[in-house]
């Protein structure tokens, strides 16, 4: 007779690579919007200390660029040596609250606003990019070797700053994700063509990040299951890539996402499209462009609790490595059921913007559901200090 495995508990400490997390809940990256010209500010530190105080086991400092050219815009932090002392204050503050902290590292690729950055960006192959408002050229091999070194340096700087984990951004059609996408990667060399070749560049990056930091920190990847656009990455390929990444053995977990910040910005949010607020947050010309092209780039998807679960289940069947379920998690029973289905962790973004104390409230059985209503009006606040507009009203 086989003895059933005991049900995973949300509240028991759990291993993530070399780390022990105090529970199974991760705060997913939400660009904090409080790094003017890339500076670490007290607001950034307070943001993450508050999440840690609220009970999440691991908070994620959102989108740290590996180089100036890899920034989304000029107010993005570059994880270079200069920022290590200030970031140490941030990691110390999170540790004081009993939490752990990850740095999400990436290169924006086609998503970079090059006018704001005043620096060129890179693409797998030359194409027009709306955020760059022009053509972005396909990277040479030398460019890509440079990007790999930038990832190594950024990862080492993260460790020097006291981060417990590194989340490599392999999603949302940022540079590494765009290499895997058949519609964005038209290269003819060893980094383009077959699925194995399109996966080669992200694999090299992950391999080198792991070599550069060793086994003392956890390394995860935020990984696209599907781009959500015609001819983009879909499950037939992403499942095979996940298996390749598992066999490579460098990652401690995959956080499963989808969508494209370039071509389909609502796929990984669902819910209402805050178009008026988006238009108001942009300079006049961009706002005008948004009015015209916005409905195409931001189609409406109805919100559903745990909207990525049906796709994520395919990954649970395909690989045995730890998986982090993300997307529309707002309820305690959703977390419990995800763990029962074999996911090791869940990640929550908007639910914890709405209420950073939600994890403690779940634990203390004060509530069983968060208050986020998926209006997405927090999205345009990334330009002025990311916040839930409802929470702000009630303060
Ligand atoms: C305001 C805001 C900013 C975000 N910034 C990032 C980011 O910098 N990097 C990233 O990978 N995802 C980012 N996301 C996406 C979230 O990590 C997450 O994938 C998405 O919100 C779905 O999770 P949820 O339903 O729990 O909110 C952001 C989300 C929001 C709401
Ligand atoms: S503004 Fe608040 S309620 Fe609306 S989606 Fe964002 S976190 Fe949720």
């Amino acid at each position: 007779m086989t003895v059933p495995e005991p049900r995973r508990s949300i509240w028991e400490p759990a291993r993530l690579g070399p780390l022990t997390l105090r529970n199974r809940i991760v705060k997913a990256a939400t660009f904090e919007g409080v790094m003017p010209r890339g500076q670490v500010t007290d607001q950034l530190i307070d943001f993450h200390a508050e999440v840690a105080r609220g009970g999440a086991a691991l908070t994620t400092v959102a989108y740290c660029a590996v180089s100036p050219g890899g920034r989304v815009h000029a107010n993005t932090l570059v994880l270079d040596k200069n920022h290590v002392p200030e970031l140490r204050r941030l990691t110390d503050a999170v540790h004081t609250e009993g939490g752990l902290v990850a740095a999400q590292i990436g290169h924006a690729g086609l998503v970079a606003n090059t006018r704001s950055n005043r620096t060129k960006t890179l693409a797998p192959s030359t194409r027009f990019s709306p955020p760059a408002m022009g053509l972005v050229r396909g990277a040479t091999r030398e460019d890509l070797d440079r990007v790999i070194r930038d990832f190594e340096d950024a990862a080492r700087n993260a460790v020097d700053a006291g981060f417990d984990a590194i989340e490599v951004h392999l999603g949302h059609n940022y540079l590494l994700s765009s290499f895997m996408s058949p519609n964005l990667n038209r290269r003819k060399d060893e980094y383009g063509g077959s699925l194995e070749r399109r996966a080669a560049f992200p694999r090299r990056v992950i391999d080198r990040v792991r070599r550069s930091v060793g086994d003392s920190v956890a390394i995860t990847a935020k990984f696209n299951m599907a781009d959500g656009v015609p001819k983009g990455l879909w499950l037939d390929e992403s499942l095979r890539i996940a298996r390749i990444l598992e066999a490579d053995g460098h990652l401690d977990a995959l956080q499963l996402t989808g969508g494209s910040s370039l071509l389909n910005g609502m796929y990984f949010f669902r819910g209402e499209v805050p178009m008026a607020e988006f238009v108001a947050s942009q300079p006049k010309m961009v706002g005008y462009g948004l009015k015209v092209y916005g409905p195409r780039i931001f189609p409406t998807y109805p919100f559903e609790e745990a909207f990525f679960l049906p796709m994520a289940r395919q990954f649970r069947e395909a690989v045995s490595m730890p998986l982090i379920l993300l997307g529309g998690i707002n309820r305690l029973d959703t977390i419990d059921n995800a763990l029962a289905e074999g996911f090791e962790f869940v990640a929550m973004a908007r639910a914890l913007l709405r209420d950073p104390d939600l994890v403690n409230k779940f634990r203390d059985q004060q509530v069983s559901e968060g208050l986020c209503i998926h209006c997405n009006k927090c999205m345009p606040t990334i330009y002025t200090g990311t916040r839930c507009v409802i929470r702000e009203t009630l303060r």
Side-chain angles (χ1 to χ4, degrees):
M1 194 180 95
T2 50
V3 181
E5 277 195 27
R7 207 176 154 94
R8 284 187 177 127
S9 157
I10 303 173
W11 310 114
E12 266 168 31
R15 301 286 296 175
L16 174 65
L19 310 176
T20 302
L21 273 57
R22 61 182 163 183
N23 58 50
R24 304 259 180 178
I25 302 173
V26 173
K27 162 71 178 59
T30 50
F31 188 78
E32 301 86 352
V34 282
M35 298 87 89
R37 299 274 140 196
Q39 295 310 303
V40 177
T41 58
D42 287 345
Q43 292 100 305
L44 181 69
I45 296 172
D46 293 345
F47 183 103
H48 289 284
E50 184 176 43
V51 172
R53 203 159 41 248
L58 177 72
T59 183
T60 308
V61 176
Y63 199 70
C64 306
V66 298
S67 62
R71 289 172 297 170
V72 177
H73 48 64
N75 295 327
T76 308
L77 188 130
V78 179
L79 226 170
D80 59 20
K81 265 197 167 23
N82 298 336
H83 289 119
V84 168
E86 288 296 291
L87 285 171
R88 171 64 74 171
R89 289 208 298 127
L90 186 155
T91 59
D92 283 348
V94 171
H95 293 151
T96 301
E97 300 293 349
L100 298 177
V101 53
Q104 179 181 67
I105 64 172
H107 188 297
L110 285 159
V111 179
N113 179 337
T114 48
R115 284 174 193 233
S116 168
N117 286 347
R118 295 171 191 259
T119 320
K120 286 184 183 157
T121 185
L122 299 168
S125 34
T126 304
R127 67 165 276 145
F128 179 78
S129 152
M133 287 198 237
L135 282 186
V136 176
R137 85 183 153 81
T140 64
R141 285 183 207 182
E142 291 70 36
D143 290 331
L144 296 177
D145 288 344
R146 171 81 247 160
V147 171
I148 290 173
R149 287 198 296 278
D150 291 338
F151 267 93
E152 286 180 309
D153 291 346
R156 268 197 299 269
N157 293 334
V159 173
D160 290 347
F163 282 93
D164 306 285
I166 292 164
E167 178 183 300
V168 183
H169 205 330
L170 242 59
H172 306 168
N173 280 172
Y174 281 49
L175 186 67
L176 300 183
S177 157
S178 65
F179 266 79
M180 293 183 276
S181 303
N183 58 331
L184 300 176
N185 181 347
R186 303 287 172 94
R187 295 176 77 92
K188 304 269 180 272
D189 64 359
E190 77 263 35
Y191 290 136
S194 67
L195 169 140
E196 285 75 16
R197 288 180 178 204
R198 279 181 278 123
F201 181 60
R203 284 173 73 198
R204 270 191 74 194
V205 167
I206 289 166
D207 172 63
R208 295 280 288 273
V209 165
R210 176 57 87 189
R211 279 170 204 246
S212 73
V213 299
D215 292 330
S216 63
V217 291
I219 303 179
T220 65
K222 188 159 182 174
F223 178 70
N224 254 22
M225 300 183 285
D227 292 345
V229 295
K231 298 188 179 162
L233 187 75
W234 194 68
L235 291 167
D236 56 341
E237 295 196 321
S238 59
L239 284 163
R240 285 165 59 202
I241 298 175
R243 281 192 161 156
I244 293 171
L245 293 173
E246 173 169 55
D248 287 344
H250 302 309
L251 291 173
D252 294 306
L254 286 178
Q255 185 177 133
L256 298 169
T257 188
S260 168
S261 298
L262 187 70
L263 302 168
N264 188 350
M266 289 311 290
Y267 194 78
F268 56 98
F269 290 106
R270 316 291 161 108
E272 288 169 50
V273 182
M275 193 51 75
E277 289 82 357
F278 263 137
V279 170
S281 73
Q282 297 299 316
K284 241 188 177 152
M285 275 307 286
V286 182
Y288 181 71
L290 264 178
K291 270 190 194 156
V292 179
Y293 294 108
R296 212 187 303 164
I297 309 169
F298 297 102
T300 308
Y301 293 95
F303 179 86
E304 274 175 57
E305 180 78 9
F307 53 82
F308 275 146
L309 182 59
M311 272 196 192
R313 283 188 182 123
Q314 320 302 319
F315 287 79
R316 188 58 300 164
E317 188 188 36
V319 296
S320 53
M321 70 186 292
L323 294 178
I324 305 171
L325 182 71
L326 166 73
I329 298 172
N330 209 38
R331 295 201 319 243
L332 190 56
D333 64 341
T334 309
I335 303 172
D336 211 20
N337 291 336
L339 299 183
E341 287 202 41
F343 294 92
E344 277 74 8
F345 297 96
V346 299
M348 301 166 80
R350 286 165 295 180
L352 299 185
L353 279 183
R354 175 65 188 84
D355 184 0
D357 209 26
L358 183 61
V359 178
N360 284 341
K361 289 180 182 166
F362 279 163
R363 187 201 54 205
D364 299 342
Q365 297 179 321
Q366 288 175 31
V367 298
S368 58
E369 184 167 358
L371 288 171
C372 173
I373 54 166
H374 331 296
C375 65
N376 291 321
K377 292 187 196 295
C378 48
M379 287 167 66
T381 69
I382 60 171
Y383 302 105
T384 49
T386 303
R387 59 207 182 272
C388 169
V389 299
I390 298 179
R391 181 171 185 236
E392 183 185 34
T393 307
L394 297 175
R395 275 183 155 181

